[in-house]
Every structure is written in structure tokens, then in C-alpha cells.
Amino acid sequence: MGMTTPPRTLAEALRARDDESLAGLLRARPDLLSPVPNDITQLATRAGTRASVVRALEHLDRFALQTAEALAVAPDPAPYDILLGLLTGDGRDDGELRGDAGAAIVDALPGALNTLREQALVWGEDERLHLVRTARELLAPSPQHPSPTGLGPTVSEATAGMSPGRLQEILTAAGLPATYDPVSAVSALSALFTDRVRMGELLDTAPVEALSVLDRLVWGPPYGEVTPNPTPPVKWLRDRGLLLPVSTRTVVLPREAALHLRAGRAHRVPEPLPPVVAAAAERDPQAVDSAAAGQAFLSVSTVEELLKSWNGGGPAILRAGGLSVRELKKTATVLDVSEPVAAFWIELAYAAGLLASDGETDERYAPTPAYDDWTELPAEDRWVRLATAWLAATRTPGLVGGQDAKGRALSTLGPGLDRSAAPEIRHRVLALLDALAPGTAPEPETLLARLRWERPLRGASTSAGDTTDLRSRIALWTLNECELLGITGRGALASQTRALLTAGPAEAAAGLAPLIPEPLDHVLLQADLTAVAPGPLERPLADMLAALADIESKGGATVYRFTPGSVRRALDAGQSAADLHAFLAAHSRTPVPQPLSYLIDDVARRHGHLRIGAASSYVRCDDEAVLNEILADKRSATLRLRRLAPTALAAQIDPVSLLDGLRELGYAPAAESADGDVLITRAGARRTPPRSAPDPVPEGPPLPEPALLGAAVRAIRAGDTAATVVHKDTGPAAPGDALPRTTSAETLVTVQAAAMTGSAIWIGYVNAEGAASQRVIAPVRVEGGYVTAYDHTADEVRTYPLHRITGVAELADDQTA
């Protein structure tokens, strides 16, 4: 579709677009599709709402945003040359951006304007560029909302309400002839400040101290406080209108004067080009892949170790949700990591659907049935599942330990950790790493600078060196989590991660498989009651060894230590001394040391010598001397034992507590059933009911599918055709005639057009009591379903709900008041 005349409204500009361009708008701003607009007019109205414009501005890069900011302080409409001058300068040698900087702006400006046009933030041809009104209100300076450019209000805005006499005094002090009305006085002062030659002559007469005052205000903020008796330099500036009063104690540098002092530039440092992500180190790509693969295997092992420790039922859930600080510390000790790292592994297991609440009355965390399926997968597939879940998760473990908006502590697995921007930031960080040469580790500060350039409004930072905004913090957490998870190795992106991002999970697993060491079927037993596993162990061997020994240290090789308690744990699981001797002999590359054999035999000989059952609880032993020894031990007083028979003692505590108490005294009791048989306590396998992984919290409406986009464009076109079809002409409306009824869409576009052009229109209106009337109004503002207008009929400014306007019509030339 083409147009022979320039569009007068955003709706007309959108109507002139082709279907592909409309689809691009809906793709860039998917909130406009909820629900699908009825026609182009409704689409334009929705595109101008505050919430939608704010969301669109937040997704602009820094130069596109600077272009919009420049248009906000430019006249409306603004020619392309005026916009270019606001970005490069007005041509003065002391202020114009020349050389590469100016050329970069000239080259980048068409692209920035296209971005703004595609997102319906700017419309019109290059000769008449319009920034949508809502964006202008958000970006233009005002006392309540300083402009991002640091510019203040115009002379006309700053002098609104000033007495005519005071305006004439300013003109006289500035060397201008007197005028007969305030409007011409404001125009004369504005013309002075925008005249390069006359403004230069005026500033040449200024005291040096006055120029220093202007230097402090010129790049913002433009407001300053003054005393009732200002200093001579401030008085000189105030007398000549270079500082205009905002209140009794505040003055402002008007925009026209500031632009002259800035040599016409709206921004001190325009940034047309994105910062380059610098390399911190160049590493061997093979070494990077190997390091990442080692860490990937460690991440799988760590998650497995975490869930094994919660296999019999994990920690209780706080009433407010999440994990207590005490349980987090305990888990960090088990994993031998810091608490923030432990929080990351717990949240990762939760995001992957391997961990959830059991839903019982005494609610606890436990592995899900999906954990058992996950453990059966090869190590490379298990890692791919963890990495994929991490990429899509909106939960942000780095927030653990902080506070929410209400001052409540944020806990692991608790509420308040979702940040919808996290997946986008993670993908963007990895994309920037992928753009570097293989083996290149980035300089973190340059990477953060690039992210801030791409989304300058998404964080709260106020300077390029400030990394405290949430977007930068998530990016830093992403870099750390990449190393923990094996996404990167030694700071550089691994090739298997590149395959995951570009080709998919299967290719990533295939690339990682050759780099992961094969599981071993043996250990090395040592005389100091330790066993060394020189690499990852096969699952049956690892499970049995975990029951028989305690892990003493981890790393390239894992060291296990055999203790009486660990051997008793294996015997409690149903193993006999002969089974343990055979197991060690079959899986050790070294002879079984004699001290280890003695340890197993000694614990096995004493294991089950004492029997504990439920009376409340009792102790039974065939050897009376052992029971006598227990009763004589002062440390057993807390167990509250008494003799029932020569071979039996009764206790007033439960069997589990009695078992633990006697074990602390150095005995090796065994629990027995009501039939007198020894109870075998195998490793627990408590599972939650089937649970799905938590759904990410979306940042906004999802990106529409191509089929939906095509259908939406066709629906909008069809609705627009129906809304603009030519009906039977009812004749021109005149005062006293019946006003033709118009649709709400037609009413809205007519009222908006009248507000923009300053023209009067004829409306039919039904008040709250149901009384109908006809009025001539001059709309001033249309916002929030209301039109504020000067009512010629009532001779006052009034506000009318749009839904009570039954019809509108333009006035003929001879009807205009």
C-alpha cells in the first residue's frame, strides 16, 4: 500500500504499511496482540498507551534511545536535518562531533530511525518526523521528570505564568526591544537564545563567574538552588533570562540556551556504535573444551550427590516456603562448597524437575521420579538436561540472601526468586561469547558495557561504571554459573556449548561424550584405611563404596575413608562381613590392607550384639556383662535405662534415639523387629509424586508464531476495511441538526486528530443522567479513555468520557467559532 500524501496520524502511517511491516511491528511488540486489535485505529491507539510504549522503550539500544530522546526535545514535527544536528552539533568548531564520531552517527542514524519506525514509536517522512506523544511525555524534560539528555524546559514552558512586566525587564536587560504582549516577548527571547551570533555576543559580556555557573548546569541537571539574595553572577544570569525561576528558591537553564552552550548537541556523548567485547585471554580451544568437560562431569556428580543426600527425605519446607538458612549451610557442608554455590545447585536440580516438594502434611523436599530416569542416562545426556534447564529458568539463585521489596529475606527454593529477564540475559551473554574466537575469554567489564548499551533502560545504573543494576548482576552471575556448570572452560565458551546453542541437545551430547572419562571398575586401597578412586566410578561400585566409606576429599581423584561408623552403615544395609571382604577384593587393584580387614571383622563381631526394639524401647543382650557396663557408664544416664531381666534393659525414649545414644557411647547395636529379627536399613529411596519442572515466569506476552502473525494481520486488515467502508452520506452536520452516529474507533481517531491539529469538532454527548446534548469542543488531550477539551458551548475546559460521546463531525469553515 502506498500513500500520495504524508500521513496525518500514526493510524494513517500504519495503514500505509504492507503486511510484512505490520507483522514486524507485532513481532517486535507482542503485547499489541493481546487481544488482536479490531482494526488499524485500535492498533495505533494500543501502540500509544503508556505501558506499551514503556515496554518498547526498554527494548531499545542506547543509540536508538538517544535518537528518541533527541526527537523528544526537538520541535514536533522535526526534519531529519534538525535531528541530525541534535546528535552531531550545529557546526561550530568547538562543539561539532567531527571525524569518525560524526561519521558513525551519520551512518547509524538511518538504522536507528528505522528501528523506531518499525516499533511505531516514530512515524512520518524524514521531512516531518513525529515521536508518538506518550514517548515524548516520557522522554521530554519536566520539573517532575528530568530529561535523560539533561536539558530543561523551553523558554515558553519556563516562563508560563510569569508576569508581563518581568518579561519586559528580561528583554531590556538582554538588550532586546520591548514588546506589547507576553507571547511576542517569549518569542523574542527564544530567538535570541537560538541565534548563534547574538547569543555569542551576549555571553561575551558575561562575568567569568557567571560562565562557571552555566558550565555546571549545561549538561544537567539544569536546575539550581538560589538564595533570596543571589550572588552577582547568578543575578546577572537571572536578569537576562539565562536562568529562569521555577520556584522561589529554584532556577532552571532554559533548553534553547543550553543547546547553544552545547553547540547544538542533545547528548554529551552520543553512542552510535556498540562497545566491543574485549578479550581478556586467548587459550587453547582444546584445553578449554577439556576444562569445560571436566566441570560438566563434576556438575552432574554434584547434583547427584545432592539428591542422594536427600534420598530418604530432604529438609523440611519453611512455612513461607523455601529452605532454611540452617539447612542451606548443612547442604553446603555436605557438598563441600560455599552457601551461594550450594543454592545454585539446589535451584538447578529444582529447575530440571529432579527435586520438588513431597506434598505431605509434614512437607519436605525429595527427589522426583524423574531423578531415577535421569540417573540412568549417560553423563553427557544428564549434563545437557541440566544446561537446557538452566538456560530457560527464570529463577535466579544469586538473589538468595537478599531481600524482596517488602524487606523479607529471599531463601533457596522460596518465592520471589523469579526474574523474567534472566533467560534473555543468559542467552545474550552466551551469544556474545559465541561471537568471540574459539578459546577467547572476555573481559567482564566490556561485556557488561555491551549489555548496558543494548538495553540501557532495563537496569538502574546511572553511569557506565555502575554494575549494581539487576541486569548487570544477572550477567555476572551468568558468567560464574557458566564455569560451575561447564558451559565455559577457563572463561571461554566450550565447543559443546556452541553445539547446544546452534545445533541442539543431541549434537552437544555427542560433542561432550568423547571428553568425559570412562567410568572405572576399581579403586586403590591404602594401609591408612582409605581408598582412592582415580576417576569416576561405575554406578554399582560408587553406590556400594558410598555406603561402606565416607568421602574425605574430591577432585581429579576421590579419596574415601573407612571408619567404624561407615562399616556399620554397610552392615545395617544387610551386608555381611564376608560380602564386604569379597567386594573389596574384587574391586581393588591393590591387596586389601590388613587394618581394613581387621576393622570390618571387629565391627561385624560387635554388630547386632545388642538388640533394640520397641517397648517404648528396650535393649537386649545375651552377655550380662555388657549390660552391666552400660548401666555403670555415667554417660548413659540420659537414656533413662532400667533392668528388666539379666539380659534386657528398658528405656523411656524411642528406639531411634536409643540407637543413636548407644552408638555415641561406642557400641554397635542393631534394631530388631517384633519377631526378634534384625531390621535391615537399606539406603532410602523416598520420592515425591510425579512432578513437572517449574514453568519459567515470562517477561511479557510470548513471541507470536508466524501463523499467528499472518492471521492477526489479515484480521486487522479485514476489520480496518469494515470500519472505513463508505456509508450513505447523511449530509454535513450543523448546529441544531441530528449528529450522525460514529463508531468508537472513528470517534477516537477524530478526537485525536483534532487534539493534534488544534481544531474544533462537533460532538454528541450523553451525560450520566442520560440527557443528550451537542457541543463544539477543541480537544487538548486524549488519554485514559477521556478527552480534555475547551468547550465553546460552556466557555470552559471540561473532561468528557469517550464512551459517552455518541458521534463526532468536523466543523465547516463557516461554523468554526
Side-chain angles (χ1 to χ4, degrees):
M1 297 176 64
M3 293 190 66
T4 57
T5 59
R8 297 175 301 168
T9 63
L10 175 60
E12 290 186 3
L14 294 179
R15 193 169 285 116
R17 292 190 178 191
D18 56 24
D19 290 353
E20 183 178 353
S21 179
L22 276 182
L25 169 62
L26 298 176
R27 188 183 302 110
R29 297 174 64 177
D31 58 290
L32 301 180
L33 272 175
S34 302
V36 175
N38 294 330
D39 51 33
I40 294 291
T41 301
Q42 191 176 87
L43 174 63
T45 302
R46 194 177 298 172
T49 59
R50 185 181 182 88
S52 182
V53 170
V54 168
R55 189 178 292 112
L57 291 175
E58 286 181 344
H59 286 79
L60 295 179
D61 61 52
R62 189 178 298 279
F63 188 62
L65 183 62
Q66 287 182 331
T67 302
E69 291 167 353
L71 281 172
V73 298
D76 185 31
Y80 184 88
D81 292 342
I82 294 294
L83 173 62
L84 181 61
L86 286 169
L87 293 170
T88 60
D90 58 15
R92 276 178 279 165
D93 293 339
D94 59 342
E96 184 182 21
L97 292 176
R98 298 182 179 277
D100 294 340
I105 293 174
V106 172
D107 293 339
L109 184 55
L113 268 180
N114 284 339
T115 298
L116 296 174
R117 281 195 179 104
E118 289 171 359
Q119 299 201 23
L121 295 172
V122 169
W123 57 276
E125 304 298 327
D126 284 355
E127 295 75 17
R128 296 177 60 84
L129 295 170
H130 297 268
L131 183 68
V132 295
R133 179 174 300 182
T134 307
R136 178 176 292 274
E137 292 173 353
L138 289 168
L139 299 177
S142 68
Q144 296 78 23
H145 175 76
S147 169
T149 60
L151 291 169
T154 62
V155 172
S156 177
E157 295 166 344
T159 56
M162 183 178 289
S163 67
R166 176 62 184 138
L167 282 172
Q168 297 303 322
E169 291 175 359
I170 292 176
L171 293 183
T172 302
L176 297 174
T179 63
Y180 296 99
D181 59 272
V183 175
S184 58
V186 169
S187 299
L189 192 60
S190 300
L192 170 64
F193 291 163
T194 54
D195 189 310
R196 184 189 308 177
V197 176
R198 289 193 294 158
M199 187 65 170
E201 294 173 351
L202 176 62
L203 292 176
D204 288 341
T205 64
V208 176
E209 296 82 359
L211 296 178
S212 299
V213 173
L214 293 178
D215 288 340
R216 291 195 296 271
L217 301 177
V218 63
W219 290 108
Y223 297 93
E225 291 189 3
V226 294
T227 61
N229 296 314
T231 61
V234 173
K235 188 175 185 304
W236 190 94
L237 295 170
R238 194 177 63 177
D239 290 344
R240 288 155 181 79
L242 291 169
L243 293 180
L244 294 172
V246 176
S247 66
T248 56
R249 299 183 59 87
T250 307
V251 293
V252 65
L253 176 64
R255 186 187 308 173
E256 293 88 344
L259 284 173
H260 174 85
L261 295 169
R262 295 179 177 196
R265 298 209 311 275
H267 300 87
R268 175 178 285 185
V269 183
E271 299 181 58
L273 300 177
V276 176
V277 179
E282 300 284 344
R283 311 190 190 281
D284 180 14
Q286 292 184 349
V288 167
D289 292 347
S290 297
Q295 192 61 37
F297 184 81
L298 181 60
S299 68
V300 171
S301 302
T302 302
V303 171
E304 187 173 353
E305 182 181 357
L306 164 69
L307 296 178
K308 275 184 179 179
S309 68
W310 292 2
N311 208 22
I317 300 177
L318 294 173
R319 181 177 301 177
L323 204 64
S324 68
V325 174
R326 178 181 177 182
E327 292 294 347
L328 179 60
K329 290 181 178 179
K330 186 185 298 185
T331 304
T333 302
V334 170
L335 299 180
D336 193 23
V337 295
S338 65
E339 292 171 32
V341 174
F344 167 70
W345 293 122
I346 294 171
E347 287 286 348
L348 179 62
Y350 177 64
L354 309 178
L355 172 68
S357 163
D358 59 11
E360 300 293 336
T361 303
D362 180 21
E363 201 171 13
R364 292 179 174 272
Y365 291 110
T368 64
Y371 165 68
D372 298 312
D373 299 332
W374 180 75
T375 56
E376 297 300 323
L377 297 173
E380 58 271 17
D381 291 326
R382 284 184 278 163
W383 175 81
V384 166
R385 180 166 172 179
L386 293 179
T388 304
W390 171 77
L391 277 171
T394 55
R395 292 184 63 82
T396 311
L399 295 171
V400 171
Q403 293 183 338
D404 62 10
K406 297 183 178 179
R408 296 172 297 195
L410 296 172
S411 59
T412 309
L413 296 179
L417 294 185
D418 283 290
R419 295 296 182 270
S420 55
E424 184 265 332
I425 296 173
R426 293 191 191 111
H427 279 89
R428 189 58 195 143
V429 168
L430 295 185
L432 293 174
L433 295 179
D434 190 27
L436 299 174
T440 302
E443 179 63 44
E445 283 303 318
T446 62
L447 184 114
L448 295 181
R450 176 62 172 267
L451 292 175
R452 281 192 292 268
W453 185 90
E454 292 178 346
R455 294 288 187 273
L457 287 184
R458 295 309 300 275
S461 63
T462 56
S463 64
D466 181 11
T467 60
T468 59
D469 62 280
L470 180 61
R471 187 175 176 84
S472 294
R473 285 191 292 154
I474 293 178
L476 289 175
W477 294 332
T478 297
L479 292 176
N480 294 332
E481 292 166 2
C482 282
E483 283 293 303
L484 288 173
L485 194 51
I487 297 288
T488 58
R490 302 177 66 185
L493 197 66
S495 60
Q496 53 266 27
T497 306
R498 296 178 191 269
L500 178 64
L501 297 174
T502 57
E507 287 73 9
L512 179 62
L515 302 175
I516 293 181
E518 290 291 333
L520 302 177
D521 61 353
H522 65 274
V523 294
L524 305 176
L525 296 177
Q526 302 186 110
D528 60 350
L529 297 181
T530 60
V532 178
L537 300 177
E538 293 180 346
R539 179 166 300 281
L541 173 58
D543 291 343
M544 184 60 190
L545 198 58
L548 181 57
D550 298 325
I551 295 178
E552 189 170 77
S553 66
K554 304 174 185 177
T558 304
V559 178
Y560 295 84
R561 179 164 294 280
F562 299 94
T563 65
S566 68
V567 174
R568 186 192 68 243
R569 186 170 65 235
L571 296 173
D572 287 342
Q575 300 293 325
S576 65
D579 294 335
L580 298 182
H581 287 303
F583 169 77
L584 293 175
H587 293 93
S588 177
R589 289 291 177 89
T590 58
V592 179
Q594 195 174 52
L596 180 55
S597 297
Y598 286 165
L599 174 65
I600 294 173
D601 292 337
D602 182 58
V603 173
R605 183 172 55 254
R606 295 185 293 114
H607 184 262
H609 194 48
L610 295 176
R611 299 293 183 87
I612 294 178
S616 234
S617 61
Y618 63 85
V619 181
R620 182 173 65 82
C621 183
D622 295 334
D623 189 346
E624 296 182 28
V626 174
L627 297 183
N628 292 334
E629 180 183 345
I630 293 174
L631 288 173
D633 194 330
K634 294 181 179 180
R635 295 175 297 169
S636 68
T638 58
L639 303 179
R640 304 172 69 183
L641 298 169
R642 63 185 178 88
R643 188 182 292 275
L644 294 179
T647 59
L649 302 177
Q652 297 183 26
I653 59 176
D654 62 273
V656 175
S657 300
L658 185 55
L659 274 168
D660 294 338
L662 289 178
R663 284 169 178 170
E664 290 178 359
L665 296 180
Y667 298 95
E672 71 176 12
S673 67
D675 298 329
D677 299 325
V678 176
L679 291 175
I680 296 175
T681 55
R682 300 185 184 278
R686 183 174 181 178
R687 296 290 180 265
T688 70
R691 296 278 194 266
S692 58
D695 294 327
V697 177
E699 185 177 11
L703 292 178
E705 298 292 334
L708 175 61
L709 282 177
V713 170
R714 289 193 297 272
I716 293 171
R717 292 287 192 202
D720 199 55
T721 301
T724 57
V725 66
V726 178
H727 299 282
K728 183 179 179 180
D729 188 8
T730 60
D737 293 343
L739 189 69
R741 299 183 65 87
T742 57
T743 66
S744 37
E746 292 171 335
T747 299
L748 179 61
V749 70
T750 304
V751 171
Q752 286 180 328
M756 298 185 65
T757 59
S759 57
I761 57 175
W762 191 261
I763 68 169
Y765 181 71
V766 178
N767 63 17
E769 288 74 28
S773 61
Q774 299 180 13
R775 300 175 178 276
V776 177
I777 65 171
V780 177
R781 182 176 59 192
V782 183
E783 186 176 29
Y786 291 86
V787 53
T788 301
Y790 179 77
D791 190 330
H792 288 274
T793 308
D795 198 23
E796 64 180 2
V797 176
R798 289 185 176 181
T799 299
Y800 297 99
L802 285 172
H803 68 275
R804 293 190 178 278
I805 298 178
T806 60
V808 294
E810 297 180 359
L811 290 176
D813 292 340
D814 58 352
Q815 297 172 339
T816 304

